[in-house]
Amino acid sequence: MSFIITFIIVSSVPSVEKSPPNPAIGKAAVASLILPGTGQLISGVRNRGEAMLWMDGVMWVGWAGFSWYRNSKEEDARLIAKKFAGANISIKNPQYYRALERYKSSSEYNEDIRRVARELYPDDPDAQRRYYESHGYFGEQEWNWSSDSIRIYSYWQTRRAARAAGMTVSFLTAGLVLNRLISAFDCLFFLPEQPLSKRVEVKPAPADFGLALYWHF
């Protein structure tokens, strides 16, 4: 004779009449969107609320720390470029600082721009000139690294550290947003919290010659 355990999901309905929506749940969800965990705390679910609050605090500390580190490294890189390449660090265009990473001098960069212009407009000298003048760096924008070792091992490595910190800041920003959404979703659909003993119930199942495991949600 076989013995069967049946798993059944049951939707718990406390009464025949549909209960009106609880406005406190909406307030808890809004509170959690502003500060994760507060909705759980005001609803009496302290463990989840405190965990989300701690997580949010840790991520904020990490966000502030890595943001400061990124900005500090970017400033260090600019100062290196000014001191050892004569770069104009008042320029805000990120492409300018990327070009400083790749090219020893602005003349080398401009020659590359001239080559691209010839490839793009092989039969139009005027278009080549316009492209060259609009994309090249001249006058106060010029630079010339004193050595490739400083450009690679000092400037590039410093900017690389800044980019890594910036990526971490992006991940932490996404984590802060996600923590708020999870906290609000938890308030909308899983509060008030039911103990496991009320959710799980085991009853005999004579028809199947076994037991039925009921999960109430």
Side-chain angles (χ1 to χ4, degrees), residues 62-93:
W63 186 92
F66 279 104
S67 295
W68 175 85
Y69 183 76
R70 175 196 59 192
N71 296 336
S72 176
K73 285 298 181 181
E74 287 179 349
E75 183 63 22
D76 289 344
R78 291 189 180 96
L79 293 176
I80 292 170
K82 180 180 180 180
K83 182 177 181 179
F84 295 100
N88 184 354
I89 61 174
S90 64
I91 297 174
K92 304 300 182 182
N93 188 357

Side-chain angles (χ1 to χ4, degrees), residues 132-186:
Y132 175 74
E133 292 177 351
S134 62
H135 290 78
Y137 293 112
F138 311 98
E140 295 181 352
Q141 300 175 334
E142 294 179 354
W143 73 87
N144 187 16
W145 285 100
S146 57
S147 68
D148 281 335
S149 61
I150 294 176
R151 175 175 63 87
I152 296 172
Y153 297 107
S154 185
Y155 178 75
W156 179 79
Q157 291 285 4
T158 303
R159 279 181 51 85
R160 181 185 180 187
R163 283 193 292 268
M167 184 174 296
T168 304
V169 169
S170 298
F171 281 123
L172 288 172
T173 302
L176 288 166
V177 174
L178 184 62
N179 193 29
R180 282 157 172 74
L181 294 177
I182 291 175
S183 182
F185 185 85
D186 180 61

Side-chain angles (χ1 to χ4, degrees), residues 89-147:
I89 61 174
S90 64
I91 297 174
K92 304 300 182 182
N93 188 357
Q95 184 177 350
Y96 180 72
Y97 298 98
R98 287 195 294 268
L100 280 162
E101 290 185 21
R102 297 181 56 191
Y103 297 92
K104 186 178 185 300
S105 67
S106 55
S107 298
E108 183 180 314
Y109 173 83
N110 290 339
E111 283 301 315
D112 206 12
I113 292 297
R114 192 189 300 275
R115 177 186 57 80
V116 173
R118 289 169 180 167
E119 292 177 355
L120 292 174
Y121 310 102
D123 301 321
D124 192 342
D126 288 337
Q128 293 177 20
R129 177 182 54 79
R130 289 193 298 269
Y131 184 89
Y132 175 74
E133 292 177 351
S134 62
H135 290 78
Y137 293 112
F138 311 98
E140 295 181 352
Q141 300 175 334
E142 294 179 354
W143 73 87
N144 187 16
W145 285 100
S146 57
S147 68

Side-chain angles (χ1 to χ4, degrees), residues 166-211:
M167 184 174 296
T168 304
V169 169
S170 298
F171 281 123
L172 288 172
T173 302
L176 288 166
V177 174
L178 184 62
N179 193 29
R180 282 157 172 74
L181 294 177
I182 291 175
S183 182
F185 185 85
D186 180 61
C187 289
L188 289 173
F189 298 101
F190 297 101
L191 292 181
E193 186 179 45
Q194 289 183 336
L196 186 63
S197 59
K198 292 184 179 180
R199 291 184 179 181
V200 180
E201 184 179 6
V202 179
K203 294 182 179 179
D208 296 325
F209 301 100
L211 296 175

